[in-house]
Amino acid sequence: GMPIISVIKPDINFNIPMKEVTIENSLHINPPVNADLLWNSTSTQIVVDLYENMTSGTTYNVTIENTALSGDEIPIEKDYIFSFTTRG
């Protein structure tokens, strides 16, 4: 089936195992920050570990482009976009 994404911040969840390298290449944070993507053992969840101080009171937009593939190489339906705002 088609991959479905859900976000419970800061975790990004997938309904089926994903091809990790395709997610890592298709995930963008704007304004840019350095982040590690920490996968669980079944390739269905990412914890986004931000190891850089983020600017307080700033909204960050996260895009996962539809070049992201499941383990069976099925792309996500469309770009998945969400945002979060830091306190400040």
Side-chain angles (χ1 to χ4, degrees):
M2 182 175 291
I4 298 171
I5 302 171
S6 62
V7 174
I8 303 170
K9 297 166 189 172
D11 302 342
I12 302 171
N13 302 289
F14 304 92
N15 64 327
I16 54 179
M18 300 299 289
K19 197 167 191 177
E20 294 180 13
V21 67
T22 68
I23 301 291
E24 292 164 6
N25 291 338
S26 70
L27 189 146
H28 306 284
I29 302 174
N30 192 29
V33 290
N34 290 318
D36 275 333
L37 303 180
L38 308 176
W39 287 89
N40 68 357
S41 61
T42 56
S43 299
T44 56
Q45 184 182 66
I46 302 169
V47 175
V48 180
D49 182 20
L50 299 161
Y51 54 82
E52 169 179 295
N53 287 332
M54 303 174 77
T55 306
S56 62
T58 299
T59 298
Y60 291 87
N61 295 299
V62 181
T63 302
I64 301 174
E65 297 172 342
N66 68 353
T67 52
L69 302 174
S70 72
D72 295 329
E73 305 212 341
I74 298 169
I76 63 174
E77 182 178 15
K78 60 185 178 184
D79 290 1
Y80 186 90
I81 301 167
F82 67 96
S83 63
F84 61 92
T85 302
T86 54
R87 292 183 186 149

